[in-house]
Amino acid sequence: MPEERAPAGATGPASGGAEPRAAAADGTADDADPARPARLALGLSYRGSAYQGWQSQPGGQTVQDRLEDALSAFAARRVTTVCAGRTDAGVHGVNQVVHLDPPVQRDLFSWVRGSNRYLPADIAVQWCREVPRHFHARNSARGRRYRFVVLESPVRPSLEAGLAGWVFRPLDGEAMRAAAAVLIGEHDFSSFRAAECQARSPVKTLRRIDITRRGAYWRFDFDGSAFLHHMVRNILGCLVAVGSGRRTPGWMAEVLAARSREAAAPTFPSAGLYFLGPYYDAALGLPEHPPALDWLP
């Protein structure tokens, strides 16, 4: 999933003298300089309802804009980040991972507390770890996980508005599981790819789709190597079409084989979609289970 972008704005030095060069988050500059602080990985959680997605935009109302402004305020130098996976407007992050090359030396937990001081209440850095200079939040990931929480009810969500999707027709779990099984493995997912997707290839590997229910709430868990733009939302739209009886489980194989977005169901709304985060080689020791994961249905 593409995610690089040009940094927005600039923050001046904290004191007189020449300002150090901005940290190169892509790792192309100063990697061999032993005097530079080590690369850092941060994990953050956020409620995406108020933001225009992850990636920085001119208006500044994105999660990346808010995070980089906070990091820059704490460091008194401009800080740029690279994330593990961009999220759309309204999508929430449970354990989004970013890497940065810090322009100043600070204790690890100081990056957590110091950055959170400048962040709004709906975004919080959860942890900070030192990682090798070659670590890349996106390219080093071995996979990514998403969860969709969907309310089945004749009445729309209220307390959980924005935090859960909604269907008013009863869903058949067995039918949806049969349809989901067709998607497991390596496939060309062009039928589930948004027109504006910038990924080089539509071929991805889905490792698991788990569908469970607790009371009125359905939980759809997705685990894959990587995901195309809107891929999870488009798959869910098809699963709901099957679960509500509008399509048969066998229809999913037809959609996959068509390799055409026109063959699939409409994109499901973003409310209720959570990026659980990436996962990496265990030797890196990066946290995969922040507290919000225990709160999430």
Side-chain angles (χ1 to χ4, degrees), residues 96-146:
Q96 173 72 274
V97 175
V98 305
H99 78 251
L100 62 99
D101 291 330
V104 294
Q105 188 71 51
R106 298 284 189 272
D107 292 337
L108 293 181
F109 196 66
S110 293
W111 284 98
V112 176
R113 300 184 69 173
S115 301
N116 284 341
R117 175 185 176 190
Y118 297 100
L119 283 168
D122 51 6
I123 305 174
V125 176
Q126 299 293 319
W127 52 264
C128 176
R129 297 289 189 274
E130 189 173 300
V131 290
R133 295 282 181 88
H134 63 267
F135 174 85
H136 192 283
R138 182 183 77 249
N139 296 339
S140 298
R142 300 181 65 182
R144 294 159 179 81
R145 298 186 181 101
Y146 284 86

Side-chain angles (χ1 to χ4, degrees), residues 149-152 157 160 164-165 212-220 297:
V149 178
V150 178
L151 169 68
E152 179 191 309
E160 66 276 57
T212 55
R213 180 174 184 170
R214 189 177 74 179
Y217 296 89
W218 290 91
R219 186 171 78 182
F220 300 80

Side-chain angles (χ1 to χ4, degrees), residues 42-207:
L42 303 179
L44 66 149
S45 59
Y46 51 87
R47 181 179 295 195
S49 304
Y51 301 99
Q52 298 170 345
W54 167 265
Q55 188 178 23
S56 180
Q57 296 183 22
Q61 190 59 17
T62 72
V63 180
Q64 184 176 21
D65 287 318
R66 295 300 180 91
L67 174 64
E68 292 186 354
D69 286 347
L71 290 167
S72 300
F74 170 67
R77 301 287 190 279
R78 190 63 195 164
V79 176
T80 61
T81 63
V82 174
C83 76
R86 295 189 305 181
T87 50
D88 295 335
V91 177
H92 314 295
V94 176
N95 194 33
Q96 173 72 274
V97 175
V98 305
H99 78 251
L100 62 99
D101 291 330
V104 294
Q105 188 71 51
R106 298 284 189 272
D107 292 337
L108 293 181
F109 196 66
S110 293
W111 284 98
V112 176
R113 300 184 69 173
S115 301
N116 284 341
R117 175 185 176 190
Y118 297 100
L119 283 168
D122 51 6
I123 305 174
V125 176
Q126 299 293 319
W127 52 264
C128 176
R129 297 289 189 274
E130 189 173 300
V131 290
R133 295 282 181 88
H134 63 267
F135 174 85
H136 192 283
R138 182 183 77 249
N139 296 339
S140 298
R142 300 181 65 182
R144 294 159 179 81
R145 298 186 181 101
Y146 284 86
R147 177 173 298 171
F148 236 123
V149 178
V150 178
L151 169 68
E152 179 191 309
S153 171
V155 180
R156 62 172 174 78
S158 53
L159 292 177
E160 66 276 57
L163 302 178
W166 175 48
V167 293
F168 58 87
R169 293 187 178 95
L171 296 178
D172 182 334
E174 290 306 312
M176 291 190 293
R177 293 183 190 98
V182 174
L183 304 177
I184 303 304
E186 183 180 84
H187 300 286
D188 182 328
F189 285 96
S190 293
S191 293
F192 306 96
R193 180 181 190 175
E196 59 270 30
C197 181
Q198 300 174 29
R200 293 185 180 91
S201 170
V203 177
K204 304 298 176 187
T205 300
L206 261 181
R207 296 174 179 139

